[in-house]
Amino acid sequence: MLKCRTVWRKLAPLARASSTLCRQNVRRTGLHNARLPAHVPGAHMATGPGGGGRENQLYVLLVGATCLGGAIYAYRTVKGDQQRYDERIAEIASRPHRRTQQATTSVQIETPAAETVETESVPESEPQATPSSEEPSPVVPDAETADSSEAPEPIQEAPPPSEPEPAQLTEPSPAPVVESEPAEAESPAAEPSEPQAEVVAESAEGLTTEQPSPALPPHAPYLLIGGGTASFAAARSIRARDPGARVLIVTDEPDLPYMRPPLSKELWFSDDPAVTETLRFKQWNGKERSIYFQPPSFYITPEELSTAENGGVAVLTSKKVVHMDVRGNKVKLDDDTEISYDKCLIATGGIPRNLQVIDRAGDEVKQKTTLFRKIDDFRTLDKVSRNIKSITVIGGGFLGSELACALGRRSQDSGLEVIQMFPEKGNMGKVLPEYLSNWTTEKVKTEGVKVIPEALVKSVTCKDDQLEIKLKDGRLIKTDHVVAAVGLEPNVDLAKSAGLEVDSDFGGYRVNAELQARSNIWVAGDAACFYDIRLGRRRVEHHDHAVVSGRLAGENMTGANKPYWHQSMFWSDLGPDVGYEAIGIVDSSLPTVGVFAKATAKDTPKAATEESGTGIRSESETEDVASSPVASSIPAPAETHKDDYGKGVIFYLRDKVVVGIILWNVFNRMPIARKIIKDGEEHGDLNEVAKLFNIHED
Amino acid sequence: MTTVRQEGKDKIIFVTKEDHATPSNAELVEEDPDDPYEERGLILPSGEINWSCPCLGGMASGPCGTEFKEAFSCFHYSKEELKGSECLDQFRAMQECMQLYPELYPQEENKIPEANAEQTSEDATASDSKATSDPVQDSNSSQASSGSSLEN
């Protein structure tokens, strides 16, 4: 730099001199020409006639000398840089030897807050950074080609030799490789996204061992915290929209991203004895698939993340993010590694709630209790359920009912006693209107489950190697194992360190309609309490919502700025006869209007419903309301009657607007349901709306 | 004959097939084809390809995503008689890449991307459940490829 200036200063006077000479000559020429127009200058060059000859030569000499000087200087500089670069590379290459002797205290990848370019200091955490920042240019080119933010580089020497270096170095072995791509180094212009370099390839370490892995990328352009459905959906969305994106998923589970619904449904119906290992199930269309979204070959390793030519998705398993520094745009893991990011998604989901009485009950009880959420829980429960005589599911919601039905089915063969208890009056009591909830409860019973509704657990004790559950009304239930399915506690551990708002009504991180919590931070899935433009602020714990919100978050992380608009749906199966799909707010405390296909012999193959106890009007006693269905209906007399809620549509209303719909045993109609909710109109006659669903067709 | 019953706040209506035979008079709001918020199908209103369409499954986002995008784009914009005939190089590159990941791209998929999209729909994040496994799928009546519901 300084050299440049000094050289220029030296040359300047020369330049000036030569330019003045030039001007003088020109003037002379002009004068002469003016006076002697007849004197055709023929082959004369720029300078004047005869007399300017010597000056001419001098001038030429001067200019020539200058050019030569400049050329020599340039050549020298290039050579010098090249040399320095080579030396540096050599030095780095020799580092692994030194490294192996050094302790593993290196880890401190975090140190140079990503912003500053010296990041690469990582493994040695020495001021190596400085030298590196001087040769940004040569090194840069070979580094991540795909990096979107390719900051302008100082001098582009683009030495080809550097190319092969990274290539071999990226091999999962001698770590320092990475150093050679102090890509980041190039942009002292604080292009925080660059720092990739330190992919610190201690490769496999990241995934298999728990060592403080200096192998981890110190920076991930897209960092997704949590490795569940929402996170995977976001990763996919990001990769689809940002070519070559580098996405890092950090999850505290040991597994790659997988889908949860089969854990409480399909996997239990599998005939394969090895299902707990393979985790494969048969879809409703007959095709088999694994619960994992993608096989391991879909992902790249975290070590490769910075250097992979077209980017990719890397998953860091068994690592928990414990601290988030929003100002510094970085997170800290439980092993003290720091990773900086450009855009971050929090998709931490939640942990199953437990009953207070069990929590306080002591270890003996807790050992016989399962909180169901992950693959491990499935494996444990599967094993346990084969070896005991009696199992109790506490909770009457989706998970509880599904598990009860799944276990109940098993009980046909094994003689296992399956009990389900909950405080509501019937299964799905908080979701389905009472009549339907009762009907569903009967269904669950036919699956072989002993249902105990209106059960409030007062205490659980362990006696004679059995659990004794005492209910508030005095009943005592003895069982061998308990599965608690009493809700999900959204995981907001990072709220404090990140300074993120937590919603007091619904729990979870509070985010706006675009799922954004703060600049560069989005939240999706179970943990997100978001603003739904149509339905208001809510938090949804369903699989499809995780997909939709994850996808949306991914789109917004890549600049889409779209609000939550496409309504997610959910579904549940309770045995072979009952299946329903739902969308929107489906809360049993809302007024509902249910339109069911009147049972004909054809429609009721096996679905004969038992009397449900609540007086139900018989079909023959009709209220001819074909023309004015809105007319007030006559209260049902206490007649017992068989009602078959075989197929139908149920509308949930809030201030006369449909905010939720359940499609009861009718399928492939979700788009219509979605449209009705999206419209948000007040419909006078919901029977007319129900016509749109064609419930009588298959 | 329609029967109506009220149980507290819940209304229950039973209808026969005949009751529902007459067309509905319920009014639905007209759709805005250019609504920026709406989920789009495979082809956006502008004519471009929607890479985040769930119908593509993992094709555009997996390890061979770049190759796939190039091949499919070439095909999509191809004006030849035999559409995509000038895209052989891109398709070949894509196939070569896919052969490196047999797990992800089962080898019977040697057809045009549209067909591929259908096959690999199983990779779609949306779960396995019934037709509505992929909600976007349902709402997109204009789907180019996976016209049939995803994991059907």
Side-chain angles (χ1 to χ4, degrees):
Chain A
M1 277 289 193
L2 295 172
K3 272 202 202 154
C4 262
R5 238 177 280 153
T6 40
V7 170
W8 177 244
R9 277 203 214 107
K10 285 189 209 131
L11 290 179
L14 274 175
R16 253 176 263 136
S18 55
S19 71
T20 26
L21 256 176
C22 201
R23 263 180 275 134
Q24 283 167 359
N25 285 334
V26 170
R27 241 182 266 136
R28 250 184 255 127
T29 318
L31 290 170
H32 282 197
N33 280 351
R35 287 214 203 112
L36 314 166
H39 184 57
V40 179
H44 278 201
M45 303 298 281
T47 49
R54 220 172 296 129
E55 276 147 2
N56 197 0
Q57 285 164 6
L58 195 60
Y59 169 63
V60 166
L61 206 61
L62 218 52
V63 171
T66 318
C67 291
L68 193 63
I72 293 175
Y73 168 68
Y75 177 71
R76 284 250 209 85
T77 318
V78 174
K79 262 277 135 91
D81 278 340
Q82 177 73 348
Q83 234 178 0
R84 257 184 302 144
Y85 170 73
D86 287 337
E87 276 164 24
R88 177 113 177 90
I89 291 295
E91 200 239 300
I92 288 167
S94 69
R95 270 211 211 134
H97 306 300
R98 270 190 280 143
R99 238 305 203 67
T100 46
Q101 294 142 18
Q102 279 181 14
T104 27
T105 44
S106 17
V107 180
Q108 287 347 349
I109 305 184
E110 84 227 90
T111 47
E115 296 97 54
T116 64
V117 172
E118 289 87 325
T119 15
E120 53 111 271
S121 58
V122 179
E124 326 294 284
S125 45
E126 275 141 28
Q128 309 280 2
T130 21
S132 82
S133 50
E134 278 175 11
E135 43 230 307
S137 36
V139 187
V140 173
D142 45 316
E144 294 80 315
T145 47
D147 256 357
S148 31
S149 41
E150 208 80 52
E153 292 123 43
I155 312 163
Q156 237 353 314
E157 314 294 36
S162 55
E163 301 289 340
E165 290 284 20
Q168 30 167 188
L169 295 180
T170 5
E171 269 2 274
S173 41
V177 171
V178 187
E179 298 321 81
S180 64
E181 13 262 60
E184 89 285 9
E186 63 154 324
S187 36
E191 196 55 69
S193 45
E194 287 321 48
Q196 276 322 345
E198 272 46 348
V199 161
V200 199
E202 247 162 37
S203 58
E205 289 208 1
L207 286 177
T208 51
T209 67
E210 311 295 11
Q211 292 168 22
S213 17
L216 299 183
H219 177 83
Y222 297 99
L223 178 69
L224 312 186
I225 304 178
T229 307
S231 197
F232 184 78
R236 181 173 267 178
S237 183
I238 292 170
R239 286 279 300 162
R241 289 172 52 88
D242 180 0
R246 292 158 208 288
V247 181
L248 179 66
I249 295 179
V250 179
T251 172
D252 62 2
E253 287 190 59
D255 303 295
L256 293 174
Y258 60 90
M259 49 178 80
R260 283 185 216 287
L263 290 179
S264 61
K265 292 189 272 288
E266 286 88 345
L267 287 182
W268 290 91
F269 306 144
S270 166
D271 302 316
D272 181 5
V275 70
T276 49
E277 289 312 310
T278 63
L279 299 173
R280 290 185 74 82
F281 63 96
K282 202 175 269 190
Q283 297 170 94
W284 68 289
N285 62 1
K287 287 198 194 154
E288 244 204 23
R289 70 157 294 162
S290 161
I291 62 170
Y292 290 101
F293 289 115
Q294 293 285 6
S297 47
F298 175 87
Y299 306 96
I300 60 177
T301 64
E303 295 71 31
E304 292 168 328
L305 189 67
S306 314
T307 51
E309 195 193 326
N310 289 328
V313 182
V315 183
L316 198 54
T317 50
S318 304
K319 288 267 184 283
K320 198 173 152 95
V321 175
V322 297
H323 180 93
M324 191 162 179
D325 175 1
V326 173
R327 246 196 267 211
N329 281 336
K330 55 188 179 176
V331 300
K332 185 150 83 165
L333 306 182
D334 51 3
D335 62 358
D336 283 339
T337 323
E338 284 196 3
I339 303 180
S340 61
Y341 60 82
D342 292 334
K343 315 254 179 211
C344 181
L345 173 74
I346 298 180
T348 44
I351 45 176
R353 289 205 178 112
N354 198 352
L355 289 169
Q356 268 194 337
V357 293
I358 295 184
D359 233 355
R360 288 186 243 149
D363 283 339
E364 276 182 326
V365 172
K366 287 209 221 172
Q367 267 163 23
K368 293 188 193 289
T369 306
T370 302
L371 294 173
F372 198 87
R373 176 118 170 130
K374 307 184 192 164
I375 291 179
D376 276 341
D377 302 323
F378 164 70
R379 292 190 171 127
T380 313
L381 191 61
D382 176 80
K383 199 158 91 178
V384 163
S385 64
R386 291 181 199 274
N387 301 326
I388 54 173
K389 293 276 177 350
S390 162
I391 191 166
T392 302
V393 178
I394 303 182
F398 292 101
L399 186 60
S401 307
E402 283 169 8
L403 281 176
C405 285
L407 289 166
R409 266 243 221 148
R410 275 224 183 148
S411 74
Q412 322 283 18
D413 315 315
S414 61
L416 171 72
E417 182 197 36
V418 182
I419 305 165
Q420 186 186 8
M421 57 171 69
F422 42 80
E424 297 85 31
K425 284 203 199 150
N427 284 85
M428 318 301 302
K430 290 200 183 142
V431 172
L432 301 177
E434 199 174 321
Y435 64 92
L436 222 44
S437 163
N438 294 336
W439 192 85
T440 306
T441 310
E442 298 308 309
K443 279 286 155 193
V444 172
K445 285 181 188 165
T446 60
E447 287 294 306
V449 180
K450 275 202 192 109
V451 181
I452 306 178
E454 296 180 289
L456 282 160
V457 176
K458 194 157 155 210
S459 75
V460 182
T461 46
C462 187
K463 206 180 274 181
D464 304 324
D465 208 33
Q466 263 206 322
L467 288 178
E468 274 193 5
I469 305 172
K470 194 182 234 161
L471 300 181
K472 203 158 175 202
D473 59 9
R475 287 181 282 182
L476 195 71
I477 284 97
K478 292 208 177 96
T479 191
D480 294 323
H481 199 90
V482 160
V483 179
V486 295
L488 189 78
E489 188 65 46
N491 182 338
V492 290
D493 291 343
L494 293 172
K496 188 135 185 251
S497 57
L500 297 175
E501 196 178 359
V502 172
D503 190 271
S504 41
D505 297 320
F506 301 101
Y509 296 98
R510 204 178 262 178
V511 295
N512 62 12
E514 283 83 18
L515 303 185
Q516 198 171 21
R518 287 179 66 169
S519 321
N520 299 332
I521 303 181
W522 287 260
V523 188
D526 292 351
C529 175
F530 65 103
Y531 183 68
D532 183 328
I533 300 177
R534 254 299 161 243
L535 302 176
R537 185 160 282 280
R538 50 201 283 242
R539 187 173 68 83
V540 180
E541 287 175 7
H542 293 298
H543 174 90
D544 190 51
H545 171 76
V547 174
V548 169
S549 64
R551 190 158 63 219
L552 179 67
E555 285 176 347
N556 289 344
M557 285 164 88
T558 47
N561 292 328
K562 279 166 49 177
Y564 189 93
W565 189 240
H566 178 95
Q567 231 10 276
S568 61
M569 52 79 77
F570 61 96
W571 75 95
S572 189
D573 287 329
L574 296 169
D577 301 328
V578 181
Y580 61 88
E581 298 174 342
I583 185 171
I585 297 182
V586 173
D587 183 336
S588 63
S589 62
L590 295 173
T592 68
V593 174
V595 181
F596 294 89
K598 198 172 268 191
T600 64
K602 194 161 55 93
D603 284 330
T604 50
K606 34 194 169 163
T609 317
E610 272 61 283
E611 4 254 58
S612 57
T614 59
I616 300 181
R617 176 192 291 270
S618 116
E619 289 164 24
S620 56
E621 192 163 306
T622 60
E623 190 76 348
D624 190 339
V625 289
S627 47
S628 56
V630 189
S632 59
S633 31
I634 295 168
E639 264 181 283
T640 52
H641 156 81
K642 276 190 204 179
D643 249 335
D644 183 26
Y645 300 106
K647 305 203 276 186
V649 183
I650 302 114
F651 299 100
Y652 287 71
L653 302 162
R654 194 169 62 187
D655 300 328
K656 301 206 195 138
V657 173
V658 176
V659 292
I661 298 178
I662 288 190
L663 299 173
W664 191 257
N665 270 336
V666 298
F667 306 104
N668 288 322
R669 264 74 144 191
M670 198 40 80
I672 311 162
R674 186 172 282 120
K675 167 81 178 136
I676 293 170
I677 296 195
K678 185 176 84 159
D679 283 353
E681 300 274 297
E682 271 188 35
H683 290 279
D685 180 5
L686 286 168
N687 191 12
E688 291 297 317
V689 180
K691 280 187 188 171
L692 297 169
F693 288 88
N694 250 325
I695 56 181
H696 298 274
E697 310 296 315
D698 244 341
Chain B
M1 204 82 78
T2 310
T3 38
V4 182
R5 201 170 77 228
Q6 190 82 24
E7 282 191 17
K9 59 170 176 65
D10 304 315
K11 187 159 156 180
I12 309 167
I13 305 172
F14 280 95
V15 290
T16 60
K17 196 160 178 178
E18 293 71 40
D19 293 331
H20 267 199
T22 53
S24 170
N25 62 16
E27 282 169 20
L28 296 178
V29 172
E30 218 178 280
E31 284 289 338
D32 174 10
D34 294 323
D35 190 343
Y37 291 174
E38 280 298 325
E39 300 250 328
R40 294 280 160 218
L42 184 61
I43 310 296
L44 296 168
S46 61
E48 288 167 4
I49 302 172
N50 176 16
W51 298 115
S52 24
C53 176
C55 58
L56 289 176
M59 299 291 284
S61 52
C64 299
T66 321
E67 286 81 358
F68 169 77
K69 282 187 194 172
E70 278 170 23
F72 196 35
S73 296
C74 173
F75 173 84
H76 177 65
Y77 291 113
S78 163
K79 301 262 179 293
E80 300 291 322
E81 270 277 322
L82 184 58
K83 197 163 162 82
S85 49
E86 78 272 28
C87 307
L88 288 179
D89 280 338
Q90 286 94 328
F91 277 100
R92 198 174 303 125
M94 180 178 85
Q95 260 201 296
E96 278 167 14
C97 176
M98 288 188 178
Q99 274 158 5
L100 298 173
Y101 302 93
E103 252 191 322
L104 296 174
Y105 307 104
Q107 285 311 302
E108 68 267 12
E109 290 171 35
N110 290 323
K111 311 157 199 161
I112 55 173
E114 326 245 322
N116 277 349
E118 271 173 316
Q119 305 251 183
T120 52
S121 59
E122 321 192 53
D123 296 345
T125 313
S127 123
D128 57 286
S129 88
K130 310 172 190 153
T132 48
S133 58
D134 189 327
V136 181
Q137 215 30 51
D138 293 321
S139 52
N140 288 319
S141 45
S142 56
Q143 275 305 336
S145 54
S146 357
S148 53
S149 24
L150 259 198
E151 272 145 349
N152 244 326

